Amino acid sequence: MFWPNLTRTAFFQENSASSRAIPTSKLIERVLKDPAIPLEWGKNKAGMSASDVLSPDLAQEAEHVWLGARDAAVANAQRLLDLDVHKQELNRLLEPFLWHTVIVSATEWKNFFELRCAPNAQPEIRAAARLMLEAMNANVPQTLEYGEWHTAALAGRRKRAGPGDSSARLGRRCARVSYLTHQGLREIERDLELYERLRTDRHLSPFEHVATPAPDGAFQANFRGWLQMRREIE
């Protein structure tokens, strides 16, 4: 999802893919093979959101122009790559045409759904939010006992253990979203290296997704009723 506006609050934990971490050649391949294109072409008017859309003929022309801009961005990114420019600069040219991968954990969703499912929300985030709400309503929550861990990216529930256990492994997997290696790949040794590097460099946000039940329903950091793994690492 491009335009990754999740309505940041103190009660969301989010880690997302970073264009700085992904080789330019991979991003070019992605935007050529499967570019992100607006879901609808709103007709220009005053204000933040469109109320009407372009006619089918104009929408088709708008998409043609959009893909032309994509091709120009790819060509210029390739030229900068030939000049040996680092990807942290030149990959920014490709971001408008990239799908965006995000891992989000939260205990408070009401405000997000009210804002992002609304008719005047950006069409792309509205579509994602409605799918999220549908999935949440269809979900059957699993009960965890004290000392067990919420490990959404791994099957089943996990008992509490040390940095090498599945809860720590989930933190490493959440961090891996920056490198987009979730598509069926499980590089355990590289994940362990990443865990140690994140802990040493104090980049601890991935470990906020992993949590164990708290003794009460009060807020603990940015989750209600849960203690995050980051607290133990700190």
Side-chain angles (χ1 to χ4, degrees):
M1 174 61 62
F2 60 131
W3 300 302
N5 188 342
L6 288 171
T7 310
R8 291 177 178 271
T9 73
F11 314 124
F12 267 73
Q13 172 52 34
E14 172 230 330
N15 286 93
S16 61
S18 170
S19 68
R20 297 177 62 208
I22 304 170
T24 300
S25 59
K26 288 187 178 181
L27 296 189
I28 289 177
E29 181 181 352
R30 290 176 185 275
V31 300
L32 289 176
K33 183 178 180 180
D34 184 24
I37 300 174
L39 292 181
E40 62 182 49
W41 298 97
K43 192 172 183 179
N44 190 30
K45 56 168 286 190
M48 290 180 60
S49 58
S51 55
D52 298 317
V53 297
L54 298 181
S55 67
D57 289 344
L58 289 178
Q60 185 176 11
E61 179 63 22
E63 182 172 323
H64 177 73
V65 173
W66 180 272
L67 292 177
R70 182 274 313 265
D71 294 340
V74 167
N76 285 305
Q78 187 61 60
R79 290 182 62 190
L80 290 174
L81 185 61
D82 294 340
L83 292 174
D84 208 24
V85 174
H86 194 278
K87 61 181 180 292
Q88 72 176 6
E89 280 83 35
L90 67 89
N91 283 358
R92 303 300 186 189
L93 292 176
L94 303 172
E95 287 180 351
F97 312 100
L98 284 166
W99 294 93
H100 195 67
T101 303
V102 182
I103 295 176
V104 180
S105 299
T107 60
E108 314 301 306
W109 289 95
K110 184 175 183 291
N111 184 60
F112 171 79
F113 288 130
E114 285 182 348
L115 293 178
R116 297 311 175 202
C117 291
N120 63 346
Q122 180 84 22
E124 290 74 24
I125 192 63
R126 183 174 65 233
R130 287 176 175 175
L131 289 173
M132 292 165 66
L133 180 59
E134 179 181 333
M136 183 175 290
N137 289 336
N139 179 63
V140 178
Q142 296 183 10
T143 301
L144 296 185
E145 305 295 336
Y146 292 118
E148 292 182 327
W149 290 88
H150 163 70
T151 56
L154 300 172
R157 58 187 185 182
R158 308 297 179 180
K159 296 292 184 180
R160 183 170 184 167
D165 79 336
S166 58
S167 56
R169 187 150 42 98
L170 174 59
R172 301 194 296 271
R173 294 307 305 164
C174 291
R176 273 286 166 204
V177 70
S178 292
Y179 301 86
L180 292 184
T181 58
H182 284 79
Q183 285 79 7
L185 300 179
R186 291 293 181 265
E187 300 169 305
I188 303 302
E189 291 185 1
R190 292 185 64 186
D191 285 352
L192 184 57
E193 293 174 1
L194 178 60
Y195 169 81
E196 295 298 341
R197 186 167 71 250
L198 291 170
R199 186 170 64 169
T200 299
D201 294 344
R202 312 306 291 169
H203 292 296
L204 301 180
S205 63
F207 306 103
E208 295 181 25
H209 298 277
V210 189
T212 189
D216 57 49
F219 274 109
Q220 308 285 342
N222 55 357
F223 285 180
R224 185 196 297 272
W226 294 84
L227 300 172
Q228 294 164 297
M229 185 182 177
R230 174 172 183 159
R231 191 168 99 166
E232 281 206 347
I233 295 176
E234 290 180 331

